[in-house]
Amino acid sequence: MTFHPWMVLLVCNWCVAIAFAILLLNFYKQIQSWLTVIFSILTLTFILFFISPNLAIIVSTILWFLFLFLPVFGLYWIQFLMFRGSYDRARQLAAIVRWLHPADGLVELPHLLKALTLAQRGNIEEAGNIFKSYQTSETAIGRTVTALFYVTSDSWEDLLIWIRENISDRQLFGVNNLVIYYLRALGETGNIHALLQAVERLTPEFEKRQSLIPLALARMYALAFCGKSDSLGSLFDRPLRRYPKNIRQFWMGTAKLIEGKEQEARQIFDAIPHQSNTNLQQAIARRLSRDFQATSVQLSDGDREICDGIITAVEQEKRYGSALTVANNRAYCSYILIGLNLAVFSLQVLLGGSQNIPVLIQLGALIPEAVWEGQWWRLIAANFLHFGPVHLMMNAIGLYIIGGFVEKTLGTIRYFGVYLSSGIASMAVITILSRFIEFSAKITVGASGSVMGLVGATGAILLWGWHREKARIARQRFQLVLLMVGLQMAFDLSVPNISFIGHLSGVIVGFLITLMLMKWVKLPD
């Protein structure tokens, strides 16, 4: 049996990427066992490759799948379920994952999730007994457990005292969960100044780690305890849109209460389904108590500046954060274009096959000589033809992922104009250069030029946001676009029959057209 060398490359790249990310983010002391697994797989693969390449591929692929892919994928879903408050389902999954990677707290995780489930159902004493068996200030898992003990018992003052007496700044700010509990404790006890200062300090660190959910939660606490309900709603529209609805309502009610809108807050709290969540019942009762209602927020000029900065960042992330994602659900023009490409592809199949050269020529494949002879319509038609299902699928996926953000920003008509202009321009550049350069491919088809034009358009929008609004999220996404374009160009140059010229010209044209259009575009709120 012969295996493809790219499987070894995949395993090695995955391992190196994870190891690099861990070292880059200074996580070594917390998850050193992951590094041990990674370097063990790499070492074994290297040794076996000199003995038997096929054996190296089989063994490394199996080890990668069992001890890296499945645990990482499982941890992602455990964190997602915990984020949603589904502690019992997270516990069931953790009981499986811990056997694949029995280190870094995963052995204890099912027990801790059981305690959280019990606390959620009101069995505080039984949950506390589980927490107490793991409490310590010496290990990361022990510190997290101790904090959870105070959180589930609603003892926010005691949590702050314990942190101040036992936890160093490095320990506190080095673990996402612990610092999130700390931030909430500051808000619950009325230390708004300290809360805002901590959020400002933590923001660059969260961004460096790509800890987007902890960053969103930190901002949620800051906005809620400052009574900024409008901006809190923007936060719930995107990064926290999958946060449980009852928890979102709870924090919106909190913001309304601090804002002085007591009647609206009570209506929100009354509408929250909390019968099965004792912790939430206690939290709502605490909000409606006279002590909490008497709380008033007096922000200094410095605190107000930090709060305004958080509001600006939330609005900018709502505006630019969906770039290169599938978060936008109203990309109607993108869906129509995908459908049109599918319809034309079906016609290709009916007429004789999607890879049938005479059929492609008949339907409008780009032939530079034919264009020079007057068949200009091929510059348009070639953008809707594809050479095989894989070619179509790749362009459709690219259009689906990239198109939504550009369409939302530019509007449907401008978006379609950029898409079509980029495709036509890429075909035109190939046609013109064919007079001076001999291309290996005699015909050119595909929406790749148009899709790459949307990549260029995305870069233009993000560059505009970075330059005009000083939006950090726009800068980060723009750098990602540059990386994507660089990788695409490297791939084009290394693979035969891929139109490097078409892709590059599409990016440039899409970028320039969008940059000119941005002067007349009203950015969506």
Side-chain angles (χ1 to χ4, degrees), residues 86-256:
S86 303
Y87 297 124
D88 194 42
R89 291 175 61 191
R91 178 190 61 80
Q92 296 171 15
L93 182 57
I96 299 173
V97 172
R98 69 173 178 174
W99 291 106
L100 298 175
H101 192 88
D104 294 321
L106 290 185
V107 173
E108 300 91 344
L109 188 57
H111 302 289
L112 301 180
L113 289 169
K114 179 181 179 180
L116 286 172
T117 303
L118 291 170
Q120 191 179 58
R121 295 172 179 173
N123 300 323
I124 303 298
E125 184 177 352
E126 190 176 350
N129 291 333
I130 296 176
F131 285 139
K132 286 178 182 178
S133 63
Y134 291 101
Q135 281 184 7
T136 176
S137 300
E138 302 301 321
T139 64
I141 190 69
R143 291 188 288 270
T144 300
V145 168
T146 304
L148 279 171
F149 173 76
Y150 290 116
V151 170
T152 54
S153 59
D154 206 27
S155 304
W156 301 107
E157 288 281 4
D158 293 338
L159 174 59
L160 288 179
I161 293 172
W162 172 75
I163 288 175
R164 288 164 184 159
E165 293 179 352
N166 298 279
I167 306 299
S168 67
D169 279 358
R170 183 176 181 182
Q171 292 171 334
L172 175 62
F173 294 105
V175 181
N176 287 342
N177 288 341
L178 188 59
V179 77
I180 289 300
Y181 301 144
Y182 169 71
L183 293 175
R184 181 175 176 183
L186 291 174
E188 296 286 354
T189 54
N191 296 315
I192 307 303
H193 172 75
L195 170 61
L196 292 172
Q197 292 287 331
V199 172
E200 183 182 41
R201 173 183 174 181
L202 282 165
T203 296
E205 189 65 27
F206 280 144
E207 290 178 341
K208 177 183 175 182
R209 297 180 189 174
Q210 288 294 298
S211 301
L212 303 183
I213 295 301
L215 175 59
L217 291 174
R219 287 171 171 168
M220 180 186 74
Y221 295 144
L223 294 174
F225 286 116
C226 287
K228 305 296 182 181
S229 59
D230 291 340
S231 298
L232 193 62
S234 297
L235 197 62
F236 291 150
D237 283 343
R238 177 163 168 72
L240 295 178
R241 66 187 181 279
R242 293 188 177 181
Y243 211 32
K245 183 179 179 181
N246 56 352
I247 305 299
R248 281 183 282 143
Q249 289 175 309
F250 170 78
W251 286 107
M252 182 59 73
T254 300
K256 293 285 187 183

Side-chain angles (χ1 to χ4, degrees), residues 230-424:
D230 291 340
S231 298
L232 193 62
S234 297
L235 197 62
F236 291 150
D237 283 343
R238 177 163 168 72
L240 295 178
R241 66 187 181 279
R242 293 188 177 181
Y243 211 32
K245 183 179 179 181
N246 56 352
I247 305 299
R248 281 183 282 143
Q249 289 175 309
F250 170 78
W251 286 107
M252 182 59 73
T254 300
K256 293 285 187 183
L257 199 60
I258 294 176
E259 204 172 3
K261 301 177 180 179
E262 183 179 341
Q263 186 175 357
E264 289 185 42
R266 285 185 174 275
Q267 290 175 349
I268 293 173
F269 287 136
D270 290 341
I272 297 176
H274 53 72
Q275 290 77 10
S276 61
N277 191 330
T278 304
N279 282 348
L280 188 56
Q281 290 179 8
Q282 294 174 347
I284 292 174
R286 188 173 189 273
R287 289 290 184 269
L288 296 176
S289 67
R290 291 187 178 277
D291 291 341
F292 189 87
Q293 290 183 53
T295 302
S296 60
V297 178
Q298 299 294 333
L299 299 179
S300 65
D301 291 341
D303 291 341
R304 192 173 292 107
E305 184 177 346
I306 294 174
C307 188
D308 290 342
I310 293 173
I311 292 172
T312 299
V314 168
E315 294 300 328
Q316 289 174 343
E317 290 189 9
K318 183 180 178 182
R319 187 174 297 138
Y320 301 110
S322 61
L324 306 178
T325 71
V326 293
N328 185 46
N329 296 320
R330 298 181 179 179
Y332 301 123
C333 187
S334 298
Y335 301 151
I336 292 172
L337 288 170
I338 292 173
L340 185 57
N341 280 294
L342 287 171
V344 174
F345 186 81
S346 300
L347 180 61
Q348 292 175 230
V349 174
L350 289 174
L351 292 178
S354 62
Q355 297 179 343
N356 188 309
I357 301 300
V359 169
L360 291 171
I361 293 174
Q362 178 187 355
L363 292 177
L366 179 70
I367 305 175
E369 295 81 4
V371 174
W372 285 113
E373 292 173 2
Q375 297 181 21
W376 299 99
W377 56 275
R378 292 184 180 275
L379 296 174
I380 301 174
N383 289 283
F384 297 94
L385 300 171
H386 289 86
F387 192 79
V390 174
H391 189 200
L392 172 67
M393 181 183 68
M394 295 302 294
N395 281 331
I397 292 174
L399 181 55
Y400 178 71
I401 293 174
I402 299 168
F405 171 73
V406 181
E407 183 176 349
K408 181 183 72 173
T409 304
L410 298 182
T412 300
I413 295 176
R414 294 190 184 99
Y415 166 75
F416 180 72
V418 170
Y419 177 88
L420 192 59
S421 298
S422 300
I424 293 173

